[in-house]
Amino acid sequence: MSIQTTYWGSRPELIEVLELGARGLVRPKASTYALADAMTAYQQMTEGTLEGRAVIVP
């Protein structure tokens, strides 16, 4: 289980970003990795080559 929150901006800015997302003007980037490839995701993250978020799927 994971609980997440924003690490930036104010509440009004968060509302604005969510509205942009709802209108399709902002799209999140996520890369999915198998559990066996989790170290690849970690390596890309430390190298700064990972775009968006890494999602590890067991």
Side-chain angles (χ1 to χ4, degrees):
M1 178 173 34
S2 172
I3 298 174
Q4 299 177 355
T5 185
T6 59
Y7 295 108
W8 55 269
S10 64
R11 188 176 181 101
E13 289 170 329
L14 176 59
I15 291 168
E16 182 179 356
V17 169
L18 291 174
E19 288 173 354
L20 290 171
R23 293 187 358 224
L25 300 174
V26 175
R27 291 196 161 161
K29 290 185 180 183
S31 300
T32 304
Y33 296 85
L35 185 57
D37 297 325
M39 289 307 296
T40 300
Y42 182 76
Q43 182 178 5
Q44 290 177 349
M45 187 172 51
T46 58
E47 292 172 350
T49 58
L50 178 70
E51 287 193 33
R53 295 183 179 261
V55 179
I56 309 302
V57 180

